């Protein structure tokens, strides 16, 4: 009886060893076959190397620049390298232009738009709604602190509610046109604007 058990045990062990050896040989053969196939078909080798690679689109302005076709840096202009004072991130389209909204293609009513705007009409410029001027300027002063603007030039203070920032500055320039401007040129801008308003009042 003991000899019988020993024979069965030995036979079982032998079968297990043969099974493991056969499986190993089969795996090795399959691996060699796959390598040979990949070597003979270059695109398979390339596809294999690209498996499990996921690329995320992290550009917050991607949706905007698909229609607004200027390059992102050109659109941002002087703000391209700026860091938003509130978020601590790079400035993006929605930081200044607010929400896109569902009906963006039908006038983009929810988007904050920037344009030269003044509360007093000129000969060629209509009087803009002071609330619109205020909305534009508040967007700017979210980053550009009013105290800093006041210290830089007194005109920021007196025009805060009557003239949009975009009347003198540009939102998307490579270089802000007001930077480096001479004092005489600044004075001329003031004189031209106020003279035009005075002329418009006189013709009423």
């Amino acid at each position: 009886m003991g000899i019988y058990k020993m024979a069965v045990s030995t036979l079982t062990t032998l079968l297990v060893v043969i099974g493991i050896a056969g499986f190993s040989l089969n795996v090795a053969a399959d691996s060699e076959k796959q390598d040979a196939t990949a070597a003979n078909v270059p695109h398979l080798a390339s596809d294999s190397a690209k498996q499990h690679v996921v690329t995320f689109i992290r550009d917050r302005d991607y949706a905007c620049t698909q229609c607004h076709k200027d390059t992102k840096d050109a659109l941002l202009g002087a703000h391209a390298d700026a860091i938003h004072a509130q978020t601590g991130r790079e400035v993006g389209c929605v930081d200044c232009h607010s929400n896109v909204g569902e009906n963006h293609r039908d006038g983009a009513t929810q988007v904050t738009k920037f344009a030269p705007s003044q509360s007093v009409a000129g000969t060629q410029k209509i009087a803009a709604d002071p609330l619109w001027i205020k909305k534009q300027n508040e967007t700017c002063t979210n980053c550009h602190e009013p105290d800093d603007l006041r210290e830089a030039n007194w005109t920021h203070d007196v025009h805060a509610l009557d003239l949009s920032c975009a009347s003198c500055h540009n939102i998307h320039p490579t270089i802000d046109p007001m930077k480096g401007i001479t004092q005489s040129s600044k004075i001329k801008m003031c004189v031209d604007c106020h003279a035009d308003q005075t002329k418009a009042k006189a013709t009423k």
Side-chain angles (χ1 to χ4, degrees):
M1 188 68 176
I3 295 174
Y4 175 75
K5 287 183 178 180
M6 183 180 294
V8 171
S9 176
T10 302
L11 182 60
T12 302
T13 302
L14 182 61
L15 289 174
V16 170
V17 170
I18 292 173
I20 292 173
F23 177 76
S24 299
L25 290 172
N26 188 45
V27 169
D30 286 345
S31 178
E32 290 178 1
K33 183 178 180 181
Q34 289 177 359
D35 291 343
T37 302
N40 292 328
V41 186
H43 79 273
L44 289 180
S46 175
D47 290 345
S48 177
K50 293 179 181 178
Q51 285 182 351
H52 309 298
V53 176
V54 179
T55 302
F56 294 98
I57 297 175
R58 299 187 181 277
D59 184 356
R60 295 184 299 134
D61 299 329
Y62 179 80
C64 302
T65 55
Q66 293 310 291
C67 290
H68 300 276
K69 289 297 184 180
D70 292 341
T71 62
K72 179 182 176 182
D73 286 343
L75 286 171
L76 289 174
H79 291 120
D81 298 321
I83 299 299
H84 196 287
Q86 305 299 323
T87 64
R89 302 180 304 187
E90 291 182 350
V91 173
C93 300
V94 296
D95 289 321
C96 298
H97 293 289
S98 189
N99 295 322
V100 174
E102 295 181 0
N103 301 316
H104 187 71
R105 295 178 183 272
D106 298 324
T109 55
Q110 295 185 39
V111 171
T112 301
K113 301 171 185 176
F114 299 86
S117 317
Q118 56 194 48
S119 61
V120 179
T123 56
Q124 301 296 324
K125 298 177 181 178
I126 62 171
D129 184 349
L131 290 178
W132 183 43
I133 295 174
K134 183 173 182 285
K135 182 178 181 181
Q136 291 185 63
N137 292 353
E138 282 181 343
T139 301
C140 299
T141 55
N142 282 337
C143 285
H144 302 277
E145 294 289 342
D147 288 342
D148 294 337
L149 294 173
R150 185 182 301 112
E151 185 176 344
N153 197 300
W154 61 269
T155 55
H156 290 119
D157 215 19
V158 298
H159 291 124
L161 299 177
D162 294 311
L163 191 68
S164 68
C165 299
S167 296
C168 299
H169 301 276
N170 199 321
I171 306 303
H172 294 297
T174 303
I175 300 174
D176 189 329
M178 294 303 294
K179 286 189 175 180
I181 190 172
T182 63
Q183 184 65 19
S184 60
S185 296
K186 288 181 182 179
I187 293 172
K188 185 178 185 304
M189 288 180 65
C190 299
V191 170
D192 289 348
C193 187
H194 284 279
D196 184 59
Q197 291 176 359
T198 301
K199 183 178 179 181
K201 289 178 181 178
T203 57
K204 285 184 178 180

